[in-house]
Amino acid sequence: MPEHRSFRSEEHTARVASLARTVCELRDEALPTPLADRARSILLDLFGVTIAGARTAELRALSSAWRSEAGSVSPLGTTVGTTAATAAELDAIASCCLELDEGNKYAAGHPAAHVVPAAVAAARLSDTPVDGRAFLAAVVGGYEVAARFGHALTRDPRWHTHGHWGATGAAAAAASIWGADAECVAGAIDSASALVHVAPWGVVLDGNFSRNLWIAGAVRAGLDAARLSSAGLVRNSGAIEHSLGDIVGTLDLDVLTDDLDDRWLLLHGYAKRHASCSYTHAAIDSVQSIKAGATWTADDVETVRVQTHSLAEPLFRRHPVTRLGAMFSLPFVVSAAFVTDDIDADALDPGGSVFPDAERFSSRVEVSASDELDALLPHRRAAEVTVTLRSGEEIGASTPNPVGDVDHLPMTYDDIHRKITRLIGTDADRLARVVEGIPESRDVVALLSDIQ
């Protein structure tokens, strides 16, 4: 191996080792209160969204066709008995299928959806009961690892954000729950990067449901990597350099460990109000602001001009035919926001009443990227919307970040509870009682069984 290649590998392994030490310190010491509180909000949000996803027609069809092995574990929101690994995959798919799962703007993706199903599966597969403190520490550590890889990674633009960097956090969480030392955790993180999915943006934009399995693949990769490390078959050898640092894109190693143990990306996540890609949310919020108190209707609109950041450019495509395609079409989602009040779990369903109305309206919507708004990234994910009515009147609004962002009207725990209540009804109260019981639980698996 050339000397320069060896040197880069040593740099990668050293940074991964630092992350692994942090994961173990979180497990072996008292979890700081702000991190524990944030983890509680993340779990309420993700578990609730997962249950809502499991109730969609798409997930019911998939679960029926999965031909899962019989077992004593049920995916969230179902009564089907299967194995812990299969339940984790189906939960991961359900968690992201409505695009309502918690995200992190610095990671440019959804760390919790990659990490939490792996942590739950690892607890279920553990030889001994896992208490709530160890479970929360694994979720926090895994989230931080995944988010930092997402933040440090500059992806080849052909790659979507799901199914690759998040596997590192899934591996860290599983290894932590299984009691791995720092060297073993580092081996799991590194190995996970060699087990990732190819995730082309084009598949998402075509509305292909395969995209929803990429996070499930990251969960599986994380669990498998933790198994490999536990068996002593892999080590922290620099696999990260070849996959995330080469094939998927490039890694900024300074960003990866910058202010480690002092600045927590976990505290910079966002909760989603709208069932669509987060890159559409600032535009939706602007439309809703414009519509508030209006005496005109969608029929009175002549044109709509939307400016946003260039990260949303892949979403400029039109005429979706599936729910997923609609969630990733900015012109369509903006159109839907004009013809309905809420972009919720049903608004972008092709079988619903909103879908054809939004398709007809979408010819009036123009979208473009703005260099000025690009300059605000990643701290601000802004959008500007200008509406021209048939009367000639112009009305405009701008949004600096989506509502729910840590920097713009963040959602509190109670706000998230209300969100989940809208999605799953009174089951949200039972879910909240389970989540609130995790910190003091002596057996988190037994506690989580009450979610079903």
Side-chain angles (χ1 to χ4, degrees):
M1 178 181 292
E3 183 178 351
H4 71 283
R5 170 71 70 177
S6 176
F7 176 76
R8 289 207 305 272
S9 294
E10 289 175 3
E11 276 289 293
H12 284 79
T13 58
R15 303 306 176 99
V16 170
S18 295
L19 292 171
R21 286 193 294 272
T22 294
V23 170
C24 290
E25 288 166 1
L26 287 167
R27 180 191 62 202
D28 299 337
E29 301 174 5
L31 191 63
T33 298
L35 300 182
D37 289 346
R38 178 59 188 159
R40 185 179 65 138
S41 294
I42 288 171
L43 290 172
L44 179 63
D45 197 356
L46 191 74
F47 286 152
V49 166
T50 300
I51 292 170
R55 294 176 177 177
T56 63
E58 295 96 325
L59 259 294
R60 289 198 300 269
L62 181 62
S63 297
S64 177
W66 197 266
R67 295 175 174 83
S68 58
E69 311 91 328
S72 60
V73 177
S74 297
L76 297 179
T78 79
T79 57
V80 176
T82 186
T83 65
T86 295
E89 290 193 63
L90 291 173
D91 283 346
I93 298 165
S95 75
C96 69
C97 74
L98 287 174
E99 274 294 304
L100 279 166
D101 49 313
E102 185 269 358
N104 191 290
K105 64 184 178 183
Y106 295 103
H110 306 269
H114 297 253
V115 170
V116 173
V120 172
R124 286 170 169 163
L125 294 167
S126 175
D127 294 331
T128 58
V130 176
D131 64 41
R133 186 193 62 79
F135 178 78
L136 286 177
V139 168
V140 170
Y143 185 108
E144 194 66 23
V145 169
R148 282 179 171 273
F149 272 107
H151 187 30
L153 175 65
T154 300
R155 287 170 289 110
D156 181 306
R158 293 171 295 179
W159 286 75
H160 186 258
T161 62
H162 287 187
H164 39 84
W165 55 256
T168 62
S176 175
I177 284 175
W178 292 339
D181 61 18
E183 184 177 354
C184 191
V185 172
I189 293 170
D190 189 64
S191 175
S193 73
L195 300 171
V196 300
H197 268 289
V198 175
W201 253 113
V203 170
V204 183
L205 302 176
D206 290 339
N208 188 324
F209 197 90
S210 299
R211 169 264 187 188
N212 292 326
L213 274 68
W214 293 341
I215 283 183
V219 170
R220 184 171 62 251
L223 289 167
D224 286 346
R227 292 181 176 110
L228 287 168
S229 184
S230 179
L233 297 175
V234 295
R235 58 184 177 82
N236 180 17
S237 63
I240 293 283
E241 176 190 352
H242 305 297
S243 57
L244 299 182
D246 185 9
I247 296 171
V248 180
T250 58
L251 278 173
D252 186 326
L253 297 181
D254 290 334
V255 170
L256 185 62
T257 55
D258 184 40
D259 292 331
L260 187 61
D261 301 332
D262 291 321
R263 177 176 183 255
W264 299 95
L265 292 187
L266 177 98
L267 301 178
H268 294 272
Y270 59 81
K272 300 177 74 173
R273 295 196 308 152
H274 311 304
S276 60
C277 176
S278 66
Y279 294 163
T280 70
H281 285 207
I284 297 171
D285 293 336
S286 296
V287 171
Q288 292 179 338
S289 175
I290 290 170
K291 286 176 59 181
T295 57
W296 47 267
T297 69
D299 291 338
D300 298 316
V301 175
E302 180 74 28
T303 60
V304 179
R305 296 192 306 278
V306 180
Q307 282 197 315
T308 189
H309 50 79
S310 62
L311 292 178
E313 280 189 305
L315 280 62
F316 288 2
R317 291 171 61 169
R318 299 173 182 271
H319 311 304
V321 295
T322 67
R323 188 201 303 265
L324 179 63
M327 291 189 291
F328 282 82
S329 169
L330 181 59
F332 189 90
V333 172
V334 167
S335 300
F338 275 95
V339 301
T340 191
D341 291 333
D342 298 306
I343 306 301
D344 56 17
D346 298 321
L348 303 183
D349 183 347
S353 60
V354 173
F355 204 93
D357 290 343
E359 175 63 18
R360 284 190 290 271
F361 188 97
S362 66
S363 62
R364 307 180 218 175
V365 178
E366 305 168 4
V367 294
S368 62
S370 161
D371 291 340
E372 289 79 7
L373 298 184
D374 273 354
L376 304 177
L377 293 169
H379 306 294
R380 291 191 176 185
R381 298 170 295 146
E384 300 173 350
V385 176
T386 304
V387 177
T388 302
L389 301 180
R390 299 191 191 281
S391 65
E393 180 184 1
E394 280 195 352
I395 312 161
S398 62
T399 303
N401 267 308
V403 173
D405 187 275
V406 66
D407 296 319
H408 184 62
L409 304 175
M411 293 173 70
T412 66
Y413 182 85
D414 289 340
D415 291 333
I416 292 170
H417 192 170
R418 285 188 285 272
K419 165 189 168 178
I420 300 306
T421 299
R422 290 193 296 272
L423 288 171
I424 65 174
T426 57
D427 287 342
D429 294 334
R430 181 158 55 96
L431 174 59
R433 287 194 293 272
V434 169
V435 170
E436 289 158 11
I438 289 176
E440 303 304 322
S441 174
R442 294 184 178 181
D443 185 348
V444 74
V445 171
L447 180 63
L448 293 176
S449 67
D450 291 338
I451 296 178
Q452 310 303 335

